[in-house]
């Protein structure tokens, strides 16, 4: 496997883990900015989740108090990862 595919997989897995940590952490952490590590997770995932949140709000009124942007982000990231990895694999071989 090429270095590019390994780097892509590592980036994908890291981003998925951070989104899951943020989603589950939001259930337990009352003040997200009181913890340095959790505020770092928020800063790292917000560029991915904010466009998903905006997209969801355009098409639905949403359920108050429930944020489905991590679900949409994980689905889109999975799709993008599969397309990119397949494309890179085809180019390399």
């Amino acid at each position: 496997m090429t270095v590019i595919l390994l780097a892509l997989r590592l980036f994908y897995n890291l981003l998925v883990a951070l989104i899951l940590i943020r989603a589950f952490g939001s259930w337990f952490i009352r003040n997200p900015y009181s913890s340095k590590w959790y505020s770092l997770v928020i800063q790292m995932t917000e560029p991915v989740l904010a466009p998903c949140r905006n997209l969801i709000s355009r098409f639905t009124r949403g359920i108050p108090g429930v944020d489905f942007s991590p679900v949409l982000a994980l689905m889109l990231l999975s799709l993008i990862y599969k397309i990119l990895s397949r494309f890179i694999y085809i180019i390399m071989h």
Side-chain angles (χ1 to χ4, degrees), residues 24-41:
F24 289 121
S26 69
W27 294 350
F28 303 107
I29 298 174
R30 296 288 178 210
N31 184 3
Y33 295 101
S34 64
S35 172
K36 289 185 180 182
W37 70 269
Y38 191 69
S39 64
L40 179 64
V41 169

Side-chain angles (χ1 to χ4, degrees), residues 75-88:
M75 290 181 352
L76 291 174
L77 281 174
S78 177
L79 178 67
I80 292 168
Y81 171 73
K82 288 178 183 180
I83 291 171
L84 280 177
S85 61
R86 179 73 55 155
F87 182 71
I88 291 170

Side-chain angles (χ1 to χ4, degrees), residues 12-24:
Y12 169 74
N13 289 336
L14 179 65
L15 198 51
V16 166
L18 288 172
I19 290 172
L20 290 174
I21 288 169
R22 181 173 175 175
F24 289 121

